[in-house]
Amino acid sequence: MRSFARILPIIFLLSACGKKTAPEQTPSAASVITDTPVQIEAGGETDPIADPSAQKGGTFTTWGGPFPKSLNMWLDYNNFSKSVCDLMFEPLVTLHTVKDEPVGVLAESWEISPDGKTYTFKIHPEARWSDGQPVTAEDVQFYYDVIMNPKNLTSVFRVDLSRFSRPEVLDEKTIRITATESHWANFWVAAGLVALPKHAWKDADFNKQNFEFPVVSGPYALEEVKTNRSISLKRRGDWWGRVKKFNLGKYNFDHLVFISMEDHNKALEVFKKGDLDAYAIYTAQIWAEKTNFPQVQKNWVIRQTIENKEPKGFQGLALNMRRPIFQDVRVRQALANLLNRALMNEKLMFNQYFLLNSYFPDLYPDNQNPDASLTPFDPDKARALLKDAGWEPGPDGILAKDGQPFKITILNHGDPLPHLNIYVQDLKSVGILANIDVVSNSTFSKRIDNHDFDMVWSNWGASRLRDPEAMWSSNQAGEIATQNYPGLQDSEIDALIEQQKTEQDLARRNEILKKIDARLVSLSPYVLMWQSGATRLLYWNKFGTPKYVLDKFNREDAAMTYWWLDPAREAALKEAVQTNTALPPAPPEIVYQE
């Protein structure tokens, strides 16, 4: 799903009639970040998404979701913590923003051995930590040591790094990384190694590095953490990366503030008051029924759906197959037949989603696997499957087997969604004792990490470089904090995973993924749900943005990288609020074009 000297207050202008208003930022002199002079490197390209003329300054405030149990993405891997860490720590190389090719971040250059297993990276000579120390090859080696240390709660990241020997430090700025086995993703794994500050953390317990990051290398540093309230970052005016031409027009806001709250509806009300600058809507009912408020009608707030080339994942209810009750595939299939997806999509989500019949939907035209049917809502079929699996109704109508009732709990955090309430009632209609266990976000994460759940709703993103091992390998089923939530162990999938490891051709890898997909559909480790094809976004009309608002492959997080506070737009918004007049409309739909 992001602590600090001080959060700059946002001041709101109230009209004489008490109308809803827009936020006006008035940074104090102390809050304005002053950039140290740099000489931008000649040659190379600018980021094609960024606007080199974007202006620095201001504060961008957004919703941070529930307060995280940790900001350390390597201990608590979630979208929010990843977004924060990506702004503070840098890898050697990353994917280009519009092309499937590498772009150096910490690395100035790199070489690949003829056998494709050894990678030598030269760290940029200007790369510096925020305390002035140089970023060195030992810092990259230290990252490897931290991740591979079995005492650290970093098992998800050990999956890929286990294919590599400990990196060799050739000199202060050169590191050699060698794979011990062939894998199509080896270069990207090696290139994705991050520098962690060895001089600051070598004697620290990494498992306790949750909310204190005094030394960073990226464009932002942690500014302030207010537990259960907010987290903010401060732009680094001394960031070494400003010398790189590819960073022109990026990382423009002086301060990034993330307000923590669990309730989506409350977050929307906070946005409407002007306490948030942007808010992405992930609930179709809220988008359809609650986002045509006066500020939108006057175009003070822009309401847009934005469709780009973001890789699409899946969402569904993970069934913990470590539990005996879920080990029979007929039971898992029956639970899928009891989810009334079509009704939920129509009545609760205004048909804004497509129903899933795949774990890799964007491998197929229109996100639908033509060789797989959509699992229908069919209670009679569910009853038959459960009966075949040995579950018979007792005198009270409750299903039982070997004297034990069929009882399951759906783990949830935040307010129970109406979808789950409908599902629980449909489960009960066939004799399943079902309930929803609502817990705090921190408890939710802890229980997931320790496999302490029956069923849980999970929404998984996807990567431009798909590797199914971490999520679906049998080796990951027993790991703490694994992505293999269901604990799936299947020899056929394991064999397919091994096969795709050495396939360099992307099209052929995708064909292997389709075979994995077919096997997953037959095994039903999740009750598949639905997915959205676009980002639904509200934002105050005072920002400069890229041509297509976001970038090619990402959601609203792209705003933190590419948007800027536009003085002309901000002044126009201020005047419109003061005079209670409308601004010119913005396009309601944005579609990324190549």
Side-chain angles (χ1 to χ4, degrees), residues 4-22:
F4 351 135
R6 188 167 181 266
I7 297 180
L8 184 68
I10 298 177
I11 299 175
F12 307 97
L13 295 176
L14 298 177
S15 68
C17 297
K19 298 179 177 66
K20 295 290 186 180
T21 60

Side-chain angles (χ1 to χ4, degrees), residues 509-529:
R509 283 204 308 275
N510 284 342
E511 290 304 311
I512 296 171
L513 284 176
K514 290 179 180 179
K515 293 179 181 179
I516 293 175
D517 189 34
R519 181 62 175 166
L520 287 170
V521 169
S522 70
L523 292 174
S524 300
Y526 280 77
V527 175
L528 286 176
M529 301 177 92

Side-chain angles (χ1 to χ4, degrees), residues 9-301:
I10 298 177
I11 299 175
F12 307 97
L13 295 176
L14 298 177
S15 68
C17 297
K19 298 179 177 66
K20 295 290 186 180
T21 60
E24 178 188 5
Q25 295 170 325
T26 55
S28 66
S31 72
V32 176
I33 305 302
T34 301
D35 289 341
T36 56
V38 296
Q39 180 66 46
I40 297 175
E41 295 174 335
E45 65 172 323
T46 57
D47 185 333
I49 301 295
D51 186 337
S53 66
Q55 300 184 45
K56 306 294 186 187
T59 297
F60 182 77
T61 304
T62 189
W63 181 50
F67 194 82
K69 72 174 185 180
S70 175
L71 280 180
N72 187 333
M73 63 169 278
W74 297 282
L75 300 179
D76 183 23
Y77 190 68
N78 59 74
N79 286 338
F80 177 71
S81 295
K82 182 181 186 303
S83 295
V84 172
C85 284
D86 284 349
L87 292 168
M88 297 192 296
F89 298 98
E90 300 168 295
L92 293 166
V93 172
T94 191
L95 269 168
H96 194 282
T97 54
V98 300
K99 298 176 284 189
D100 292 333
E101 60 185 44
V103 171
V105 183
L106 284 174
E108 180 183 43
S109 61
W110 52 91
E111 295 178 356
I112 303 175
S113 65
D115 66 1
K117 288 186 177 182
T118 299
Y119 314 95
T120 304
F121 297 90
K122 180 74 71 172
I123 296 172
H124 198 288
E126 296 294 329
R128 292 285 187 279
W129 294 105
S130 54
D131 63 359
Q133 295 291 318
V135 177
T136 70
E138 286 194 1
D139 294 320
V140 179
Q141 184 189 63
F142 177 68
Y143 170 81
Y144 176 93
D145 293 342
V146 165
I147 298 300
M148 296 306 293
N149 186 340
K151 294 180 180 179
N152 292 333
L153 303 176
T154 53
S155 60
V156 170
F157 298 90
R158 286 199 285 272
V159 175
D160 287 333
L161 283 187
S162 64
R163 299 197 302 269
F164 292 81
S165 301
R166 185 174 188 247
E168 303 171 70
V169 174
L170 302 186
D171 58 43
E172 183 184 53
K173 291 286 187 175
T174 310
I175 190 159
R176 177 187 293 154
I177 306 168
T178 301
T180 57
E181 58 184 86
S182 297
H183 195 294
W184 68 266
N186 278 345
F187 169 77
W188 293 108
V189 175
L193 262 68
V194 174
L196 294 180
K198 181 178 180 179
H199 65 285
W201 277 358
K202 62 182 179 181
D203 298 321
D205 183 346
F206 189 73
N207 291 326
K208 296 180 179 179
Q209 303 305 306
N210 294 307
F211 295 99
E212 294 185 6
F213 305 95
V215 180
V216 299
S217 69
Y220 284 88
L222 199 57
E223 189 177 18
E224 188 176 37
V225 173
K226 293 183 177 179
T227 304
N228 295 323
R229 293 174 58 193
S230 65
I231 293 167
S232 69
L233 304 180
K234 179 173 64 176
R235 188 173 65 83
R236 291 182 53 214
D238 61 349
W239 178 43
W240 75 272
R242 290 188 301 114
V243 305
K244 297 170 71 71
K245 191 174 181 180
F246 201 74
N247 289 326
L248 279 173
K250 297 161 67 172
Y251 311 112
N252 302 307
F253 297 111
D254 281 356
H255 302 268
L256 300 174
V257 180
F258 307 93
I259 306 299
S260 298
M261 63 186 74
E262 296 201 16
D263 186 277
H264 292 251
N265 288 293
K266 182 179 178 181
L268 178 58
E269 294 305 311
V270 171
F271 171 83
K272 288 162 67 175
K273 289 190 297 183
D275 291 349
L276 301 177
D277 289 318
Y279 183 51
I281 305 290
Y282 285 96
T283 303
Q285 184 177 15
I286 294 176
W287 183 255
E289 296 182 342
K290 299 182 180 181
T291 59
N292 194 30
F293 44 88
Q295 298 94 320
V296 171
Q297 295 171 1
K298 293 183 175 71
N299 302 312
W300 301 350
V301 166

